[in-house]
Amino acid sequence: MKINPLKGMKDYLPAEQRLRDYVQGRILETYRASGFERIATPLLEDMENLDKSEGGENLNLIFKVLKRGEKLDAALAAGSEKALSDMGLRYDLTLPLSRYYAANRDKLPTPFKVIQTDRVFRAERPQKGRLREFVQCDIDIVGDASPNAEIELIDVTARALLAIGFTDFTVNLNDRRLLRGMLEGMGFAPETLDSVCITFDKLDKVGPDGVAAELAEKGCPATAVAALRAFLGQGAADLSAVAALCADKAPAAALRQVMDAVTALAGGAYKVSYCPSLVRGQGYYTGMVFEVVCPAFSGAVAGGGRYDNMVGKFLGQPVPAVGFSIGFERICSVLLDQGFAIPAEKQKLALLYAPGADFAAVLKKAAELRQAYLVTVLPQGKKAGKQLAALESQGFAAAAFFETGEIKRFGQT
């Protein structure tokens, strides 16, 4: 039998899991204090729903589940590869939430402010920072079409990051409608905008010249490419300058409203910035998109946006929705590498008892010690020195001896 987890999946040692529990606990505490309610949905979703979810490149990373029994035999006999699967593991939490809301909307408030912290699965090529099974921490507001939803989500997410201990981060914002309006104003054809945005999203990696070169290779009009290159050459983009290129001024006005409100709420604790190259990968985003970037983490630690059409795919009528997801796995991985110490956590103590001890009395003593320590009850080993050294290596701060009441604190002579 193989002892290692499947490729792209991970076992977590106790110290890692304690950190994960702490981070998730602080996030949940902030979310719940802000009036959001937690739900849970199944790991598996209908394959047809997944295929129609507009999840961008994630649609190529779905773990599909084969049909069973006679249905599988019939699909194999038909020779249809697509017919082999009728369900798949969810690749994010947005599609499941949309289906959930459509099924339960008569029992839910409007707007519905919801928490999801759960596992998702993507058939990624495993590498550092990219697992096939990972946890997402999402908050969403369903049923509010106003920019107030974006403002609240950004505020709550920022406060969750501050609660974990982040102090130097920037919230970058853009609007898909503003971006598309700008590109159309430069001369890109409407039917090519999805492809143009994919290239534009690479700006941080390839620079303005790289973006222009790739768009030229795609056969985009030279005048449009030149206009975009000249725009990027100006450096930091001004929201007013971009709005001037767009026929529809409403997206820019809404974005300005959100930026001004969030800046006021930040009170200098974090920065807020307009980022015209921010695209976000999922195809279901319809309006504002946002990311949180932090220099200490070399990139984004949270992201999200508005997806007003997703719920409507189930109901046949539009339902406004917007969500924000914290990069839980990335945060935990970096904090672990940095040796992050959980603040104000009680120290671990082992209460050791000899053979024949009154175990009920041992547990009563452990309950007393738990006022000051996290207490683990263990039988006393034959070789005290070896046992104490092992406990210290496992992160215990002290050991107490039930029979004598002595407490030995590690690291002290």
Side-chain angles (χ1 to χ4, degrees):
M1 300 287 286
K2 299 177 181 178
I3 63 171
N4 292 321
L6 292 171
K7 193 173 182 181
M9 300 184 180
K10 188 176 179 182
D11 294 327
Y12 295 97
L13 295 172
E16 294 177 286
Q17 191 58 49
R18 278 197 303 275
L19 175 66
R20 293 168 68 84
D21 289 345
Y22 168 77
V23 172
Q24 189 172 100
R26 294 295 281 161
I27 293 171
L28 280 172
E29 181 183 357
T30 306
Y31 287 174
R32 285 181 167 139
S34 304
F36 287 73
E37 297 181 286
R38 191 177 183 187
I39 65 165
T41 58
L43 297 176
L44 291 165
E45 289 287 342
D46 184 274
M47 199 61 229
E48 184 178 355
N49 287 350
L50 291 169
D51 280 338
K52 294 180 178 178
S53 61
E54 297 183 359
E57 294 181 357
N58 292 325
L59 298 184
N60 298 320
L61 303 175
I62 297 172
F63 281 104
K64 298 180 180 181
V65 178
L66 290 175
K67 292 179 177 178
R68 283 74 52 205
E70 295 180 357
K71 291 184 178 180
L72 176 59
D73 292 338
L76 288 169
S80 171
E81 181 179 340
K82 189 172 183 179
L84 292 173
S85 173
D86 58 355
M87 63 181 73
L89 291 171
R90 62 191 179 194
Y91 62 80
D92 74 0
L93 298 175
T94 304
L95 171 73
L97 170 61
S98 300
R99 179 196 53 74
Y100 173 97
Y101 183 84
N104 298 284
R105 66 191 184 282
D106 57 328
K107 309 179 194 71
L108 301 173
T110 300
F112 182 39
K113 300 182 179 183
V114 57
I115 305 166
Q116 294 184 96
T117 58
D118 220 330
R119 291 175 295 161
V120 299
F121 303 83
R122 295 179 190 171
E124 299 268 15
R125 189 168 66 107
Q127 53 187 296
K128 183 175 176 58
R130 285 190 178 273
L131 295 172
R132 289 175 169 173
E133 178 190 36
F134 56 97
V135 170
Q136 286 189 331
C137 289
D138 290 13
I139 47 172
D140 295 75
I141 298 178
V142 183
D144 187 350
S146 78
N148 290 343
E150 279 88 344
I151 294 168
E152 184 172 8
L153 284 183
I154 295 170
D155 173 55
V156 174
T157 300
R159 286 192 285 109
L161 292 172
L162 290 168
I164 298 168
F166 284 74
T167 55
D168 181 22
F169 60 87
T170 300
V171 180
N172 288 328
L173 297 100
N174 196 11
D175 192 301
R176 284 281 186 94
R177 297 166 298 173
L178 189 63
L179 174 62
R180 295 174 75 89
M182 179 187 78
L183 294 172
E184 282 192 54
M186 291 176 174
F188 291 96
E191 65 272 13
T192 68
L193 292 183
D194 287 340
S195 176
V196 173
C197 286
I198 290 172
T199 300
F200 197 12
D201 197 29
K202 301 176 182 178
L203 178 62
D204 290 342
K205 296 179 181 178
V206 302
D209 289 335
V211 169
E214 184 170 318
L215 291 176
E217 289 177 7
K218 288 184 173 182
C220 295
T223 53
V225 174
L228 178 58
R229 178 64 187 86
F231 174 80
L232 297 176
Q234 296 172 7
D238 177 76
L239 179 56
S240 298
V242 173
L245 297 170
C246 303
D248 184 1
K249 307 301 181 184
L255 186 57
R256 174 59 66 191
Q257 177 185 345
V258 172
M259 291 181 63
D260 289 346
V262 174
T263 300
L265 289 165
Y270 54 90
K271 295 183 283 292
V272 181
S273 177
Y274 167 56
C275 182
S277 64
L278 178 60
V279 177
R280 301 290 297 164
Q282 277 81 348
Y284 50 67
Y285 289 130
T286 58
M288 283 190 221
V289 289
F290 25 83
E291 281 186 347
V292 176
V293 295
C294 183
F297 284 69
S298 301
V301 296
R306 180 167 284 278
Y307 54 98
D308 285 348
N309 296 333
M310 179 69 85
V311 181
K313 287 179 176 289
F314 294 94
L315 292 176
Q317 61 188 56
V319 176
V322 59
F324 211 161
S325 179
I326 287 180
F328 178 78
E329 299 291 352
R330 193 147 189 272
I331 289 174
C332 290
S333 176
V334 174
L335 290 178
L336 198 65
D337 290 344
Q338 293 176 347
F340 177 78
I342 298 174
E345 184 183 39
K346 288 182 179 179
Q347 293 182 313
K348 292 170 59 181
L349 176 142
L351 176 58
L352 306 178
Y353 62 93
D358 181 347
F359 195 59
V362 172
L363 294 180
K364 185 175 180 180
K365 179 63 177 177
E368 295 173 6
L369 290 168
R370 288 190 180 105
Q371 298 299 315
Y373 295 95
L374 301 173
V375 180
T376 300
V377 174
L378 296 170
Q380 189 170 328
K382 293 181 180 179
K383 297 182 179 180
K386 185 177 180 180
Q387 184 178 28
L388 293 177
L391 289 171
E392 185 174 8
S393 69
Q394 293 164 15
F396 284 85
F401 297 88
F402 173 70
E403 279 71 24
T404 64
E406 176 191 2
I407 295 179
K408 178 175 176 55
R409 291 175 175 81
F410 300 135
Q412 298 181 1
T413 57

